[in-house]
Amino acid sequence: MAAPLGDDVFGDDPSVNALQDQIAAMLGFEAALFMPTGTQSNLCAVLSHCQRGDEYIVGQFQHCYRWEGGGAAVFGSVQPQPLEHQPDGTLALEAIEAAIKPDDPHFARTRLLALENTLGGKVIPMAYLGEATALARRHGLSTHLDGARLFNAAVAVAQREGTTAQEAARRIAGHFDSVSVCFSKGLGTPAGSALCGSKELIARARRIRKMAGGAMRQAGVLAAAASYALDHHVERLAVDHELAARLAQGLAGLEGVQVEPPQTNIVFVDLTGAARDRGPALLEALKAEGVLATGLYRLRFATHLDVDEAGVDRAVAAFRRFFRN
Ligand SMILES: *Cc1c(COP(=O)(O)O)cnc(C)c1O
């Protein structure tokens, strides 16, 4: 609330500028741009990399294809080329290569490969990120990472490899020409994302952000919260991951309930057999007990800053009570 403010439309809000410098330095980029949402950040990224009539290669379940209202096509006339995910969340390298169109007037111009990490809570393997982005570069494509949950991936990688989350985040981001990060998910701020890239790319993104109505004036109050989250809420994502594992264990073992072991903070549950159609009723029953989950394709639970061990245990109890009745 006490953050020093200016007018970010003129680029002189000190708190916004400090945040942009902080996240760019953290992830090893020249520049960054504060965004109201992750959706707008991805939109500005795709439209900065691509022109009208270009195409981006993307996974079927990635946010910047499936979950953003088709914005890149609607606002940018940029055609998505969605590919199926493999079980580990990656896009097969052969499938990417096969989707890159020859330079021929029949085809849209393939310009960009967009990946996401984590994808539905799955950590995309570091070696794959290197291979996929190298393949893209060989074919003259730019690369964008939707890293809304980048720091969840980084914390998981750091734990596995015995490095710091900062180091892991930087390594993941280093494979890409641009990276978008959300402050409003696990990091726990009220609003905001950042797009990171070269100075040139960010200058283009700034123009598109303006057109999209995303240039906010006294935005420093939001940026200061994001800076606080970068300083204090990154390492603690490990707690969310432990609680997700606890939740998954608690939900498992019921007839007709399949629980996917989580890699980070998202737990997916599939209902089968006699339980198959009980999803909507389950969500209602959980909601009545103060437990919120979503169920667009699969039941999905997320742990975050505002969920503690007692909350997880209450969620497990409510879930099991529903299946007993
Ligand atoms: C939430 C999310 C976004 C979009 O963020 P909003 O701030 O909700 O627009 C983009 N990508 C991924 C992977 C996300 O989880």
Side-chain angles (χ1 to χ4, degrees), residues 37-39 42 63 68 116 146 148-149 182 184-185:
T37 65
T39 298
N42 281 330
H63 206 281
E68 296 181 0
E116 182 175 316
D146 179 354
R149 301 170 186 279
C182 277
S184 56
K185 301 282 176 73

Side-chain angles (χ1 to χ4, degrees), residues 36-42 61-64 67-68 116-120 146-149 180 182-185 191-193 266 300:
T37 65
T39 298
Q40 190 169 122
S41 190
N42 281 330
F61 275 89
Q62 280 178 227
H63 206 281
C64 69
W67 304 93
E68 296 181 0
E116 182 175 316
N117 195 16
T118 64
L119 174 90
D146 179 354
R149 301 170 186 279
S180 175
C182 277
F183 303 116
S184 56
K185 301 282 176 73
S193 283
I266 300 178
R300 177 183 176 281

Side-chain angles (χ1 to χ4, degrees), residues 17-33:
N17 290 341
L19 170 69
Q20 290 174 167
D21 292 347
Q22 181 182 9
I23 187 71
M26 255 176 116
L27 299 182
F29 285 96
E30 278 178 4
L33 190 62

Side-chain angles (χ1 to χ4, degrees), residues 18 31 51 56 85 97 191 193 237 252 268 287 293 303 311:
Q51 300 290 320
Y56 66 113
H85 295 278
E97 194 146 30
S193 283
L237 291 172
F268 283 103
K287 191 172 175 184
T303 54

Side-chain angles (χ1 to χ4, degrees), residues 63-252:
H63 206 281
C64 69
Y65 168 61
R66 181 164 296 246
W67 304 93
E68 296 181 0
V74 174
F75 298 123
S77 301
V78 179
Q79 161 175 290
Q81 167 61 72
L83 302 178
E84 297 300 328
H85 295 278
Q86 303 187 102
D88 65 355
T90 60
L91 309 175
L93 296 177
E94 314 80 72
I96 295 173
E97 194 146 30
I100 298 172
K101 317 286 184 291
D103 183 2
D104 180 293
H106 286 93
F107 303 122
R109 293 171 301 246
T110 314
R111 277 293 310 138
L112 174 69
L113 173 66
L115 299 178
E116 182 175 316
N117 195 16
T118 64
L119 174 90
K122 280 185 181 153
V123 180
I124 305 299
M126 193 74 80
Y128 172 83
L129 297 178
E131 288 162 8
T133 51
L135 168 67
R137 268 183 208 107
R138 266 203 311 283
H139 288 275
L141 310 191
S142 310
T143 55
H144 172 67
L145 179 69
D146 179 354
R149 301 170 186 279
L150 169 70
F151 287 107
N152 291 93
V155 163
V157 167
Q159 241 166 16
R160 226 181 280 155
E161 300 185 354
T163 58
T164 65
Q166 295 243 359
E167 260 171 52
R170 212 182 152 87
R171 271 181 60 214
I172 295 169
H175 290 295
F176 293 88
D177 298 319
S178 62
V179 173
S180 175
V181 183
C182 277
F183 303 116
S184 56
K185 301 282 176 73
L187 293 181
T189 76
S193 283
L195 178 65
C196 302
S198 66
K199 280 187 183 149
E200 199 195 330
L201 183 101
I202 294 302
R204 285 203 295 277
R206 179 178 285 278
R207 181 174 280 278
I208 295 160
R209 185 187 69 170
K210 183 66 192 169
M211 289 189 247
M216 299 181 288
R217 296 198 182 271
Q218 293 75 238
V221 281
L222 296 174
S227 281
Y228 181 92
L230 287 176
D231 291 338
H232 300 282
H233 293 170
V234 171
E235 306 288 341
R236 68 150 303 287
L237 291 172
V239 175
D240 297 344
H241 299 178
E242 279 161 32
L243 289 177
R246 182 184 181 92
L247 178 66
Q249 275 158 20
L251 302 183

